[in-house]
Amino acid sequence: MKNSLILLLLLAVIPAHGRKPKHDKLSGVHVLPEFVYTPGEPRALHILAFVRDSSSLTTYTDTVILFREKWVDFMLPERPTKKISQWRRPRVLTTKSYYRFKDYGGLDSVSDKCSHHFSWSDWIGMIKPVRIPAGIGHGEVAADTLRGRYRPYEIWHSDSDAVTLKANVLADTIARRWVPDISLFFRDDIDFDEFKVNFTFSMPEDGIVRSRDIEKIDCKILSQGRGHPLFNFHKPDRPFFVETYSQVYIIDKAYISIDEAKEWEKVDLRSLSLRPPSDIVPDKSAEALALIARVEGIDHDGSRLDIRPDSRLGRPKPKRNFGQAVWRRLTNMVTGPIIKVHDIHEVKKDMERQRRLNELEQKKWKKRQ
């Protein structure tokens, strides 16, 4: 009770931070600004980010190149609660993908869809609090290198504005703390050839970097395998390789109430055309712009209308009278169901028609190049 009275007296005497008390000339007394105090109110840290992803899936004969941009967010409650959900991995709010397909035969095509998910960018998320090395993060120009058994696993730099970290996840197991979700894949039969992740933090006040201090993340991951089989893309006995280069730009972050957090759980931004701030996210590369132009130039409706339906589908069922229907049922009971095979000439005609359509489609792609 005594501590509460002292706190109320302090609030009544000390003005709010950043606001000067007003002086009332008539009464000669100071009028304090309005102050709202809500002790113990639960909050959550909401982070809105923009992700740019460049990945590739390669075998000895085929290659799929992906360029993707997406808006994501993260929700981190200050303390555990059942009122709202928590997600440290990026939740996709809206996304646009562009694919390019190449093979050893010279076929080169583009699309906005692909049946295989191979990028590692969805596993790059927020971190747990980590204490930075001594001498780093005090507003001075400094550097420090933490070495593993064979090579450095963390390289720290600081200046008056920010703290940067270059982590080599393959150099030491302790470096996996920067990618806690993706670390589970090290248990699978996946051979990572390169795994580097870089962070840019705003200057921390207490020598500990947290998710709220992150300004940018970029990573480069090269692996053989992806943790799940990719059917219909390669032969089972052939290896495939994945390369991901991703940048995560933090656009906005704020502590919000539980009610606001519940509203963000239901938000849907897929119908909006959002543009990232130009002072945070740099322009796209020339290769990405060329791929986007090719994909957006596709006439999707026309391509679907040009597909000729299979003549073997949708044929009207022949009508039978009562005697024919009874005879068919009796025949099926004795000899089993009769399967009518299509005429071989019709099958050959359909195969030739499909071959011509494939040739025309390849010629169209070559002209667009």
Side-chain angles (χ1 to χ4, degrees):
M1 184 65 180
K2 183 178 180 181
N3 294 335
S4 301
L5 292 175
I6 295 175
L7 178 61
L8 292 175
L9 290 174
L10 289 174
L11 295 177
V13 175
I14 301 177
H17 178 68
R19 297 181 181 179
K20 296 182 180 180
K22 298 180 181 179
H23 184 74
D24 192 344
K25 296 182 180 180
L26 297 177
S27 59
V29 299
H30 291 284
V31 179
L32 298 178
E34 182 180 358
F35 184 87
V36 179
Y37 177 66
T38 54
E41 180 182 1
R43 300 184 304 173
L45 175 62
H46 182 252
I47 300 176
L48 187 65
F50 182 79
V51 180
R52 183 170 286 168
D53 179 13
S54 300
S55 299
S56 64
L57 173 64
T58 307
T59 66
Y60 293 144
T61 57
D62 301 282
T63 300
V64 181
I65 298 174
L66 163 67
F67 178 77
R68 175 179 292 159
E69 291 184 328
K70 54 188 177 182
W71 285 90
V72 302
D73 69 342
F74 308 86
M75 188 69 71
L76 307 173
E78 281 187 316
R79 52 179 180 267
T81 177
K82 296 182 180 180
K83 296 181 179 181
I84 59 172
S85 302
Q86 169 183 280
W87 56 89
R88 290 184 173 273
R89 287 173 51 190
R91 182 186 67 159
V92 179
L93 299 175
T94 179
T95 180
K96 288 185 177 180
S97 302
Y98 308 90
Y99 294 91
R100 181 184 179 188
F101 305 89
K102 301 189 298 182
D103 67 359
Y104 70 97
L107 180 63
D108 187 353
S109 60
V110 297
S111 177
D112 59 349
K113 295 181 178 61
C114 180
S115 58
H116 305 295
H117 179 74
F118 51 87
S119 174
W120 289 107
S121 64
D122 292 337
W123 294 90
I124 304 300
M126 294 294 102
I127 62 173
K128 296 180 180 180
V130 176
R131 182 170 294 278
I132 61 180
I136 299 293
H138 296 288
E140 301 178 356
V141 178
D144 196 358
T145 300
L146 305 182
R147 297 185 176 273
R149 186 173 182 179
Y150 301 104
R151 48 186 169 170
Y153 63 87
E154 290 179 8
I155 300 176
W156 294 83
H157 291 275
S158 68
D159 53 28
S160 58
D161 298 325
V163 175
T164 60
L165 165 67
K166 296 181 179 180
N168 188 347
V169 180
L170 300 182
D172 198 290
T173 55
I174 193 174
R176 298 179 186 178
R177 59 185 175 176
W178 303 107
V179 283
D181 294 317
I182 207 172
S183 298
L184 300 175
F185 287 92
F186 286 95
R187 304 175 186 175
D188 300 332
D189 189 17
I190 300 178
D191 185 13
F192 287 99
D193 297 322
E194 185 175 353
F195 200 134
K196 295 180 180 179
V197 57
N198 303 330
F199 288 85
T200 301
F201 301 98
S202 57
M203 187 62 62
E205 299 178 355
D206 54 357
I208 299 177
V209 289
R210 301 174 175 85
S211 297
R212 68 187 184 192
D213 301 317
I214 298 176
E215 299 293 339
K216 180 188 174 184
I217 308 173
D218 64 84
C219 67
K220 185 178 182 181
I221 305 174
L222 279 70
S223 66
Q224 179 176 335
R226 181 57 179 83
H228 59 83
L230 297 177
F231 300 104
N232 300 327
F233 182 75
H234 70 304
K235 295 182 179 180
D237 58 339
R238 301 286 180 85
F240 62 93
F241 308 90
V242 176
E243 179 177 355
T244 293
Y245 181 62
S246 176
Q247 301 100 14
V248 181
Y249 301 93
I250 305 301
I251 305 301
D252 188 33
K253 48 191 172 183
Y255 282 99
I256 59 178
S257 65
I258 299 299
D259 293 336
E260 291 177 303
K262 291 180 180 179
E263 293 180 3
W264 272 103
E265 288 182 351
K266 304 175 183 178
V267 71
D268 186 1
L269 303 179
R270 288 175 294 180
S271 60
L272 301 180
S273 180
L274 301 177
R275 294 184 179 180
S278 58
D279 57 338
I280 298 178
V281 181
D283 295 334
K284 305 179 186 68
S285 64
E287 294 180 357
L289 292 174
L291 176 59
I292 293 173
R294 288 185 62 185
V295 173
E296 292 183 347
I298 298 175
D299 183 8
H300 296 280
D301 295 335
S303 300
R304 286 192 292 268
L305 293 174
D306 290 339
I307 298 176
R308 188 171 181 177
D310 193 340
S311 60
R312 295 169 294 180
L313 301 177
R315 289 183 175 181
K317 188 176 181 180
K319 296 182 179 181
R320 300 187 181 93
N321 56 33
F322 178 76
Q324 290 174 336
V326 172
W327 177 253
R328 175 55 60 90
R329 290 187 180 183
L330 292 174
T331 304
N332 291 341
M333 293 173 60
V334 176
T335 62
I338 299 176
I339 300 176
K340 184 177 180 182
V341 181
H342 291 287
D343 189 356
I344 187 64
H345 298 290
E346 293 185 6
V347 175
K348 288 182 177 180
K349 289 181 181 179
D350 293 335
M351 293 176 62
E352 180 65 21
R353 190 182 300 111
Q354 187 63 38
R355 186 185 64 81
R356 292 178 181 177
L357 290 175
N358 293 338
E359 291 179 354
L360 291 175
E361 190 67 23
Q362 291 183 4
K363 290 180 180 179
K364 288 181 181 179
W365 289 124
K366 290 181 180 179
K367 288 182 180 180
R368 292 179 181 178
Q369 294 179 3

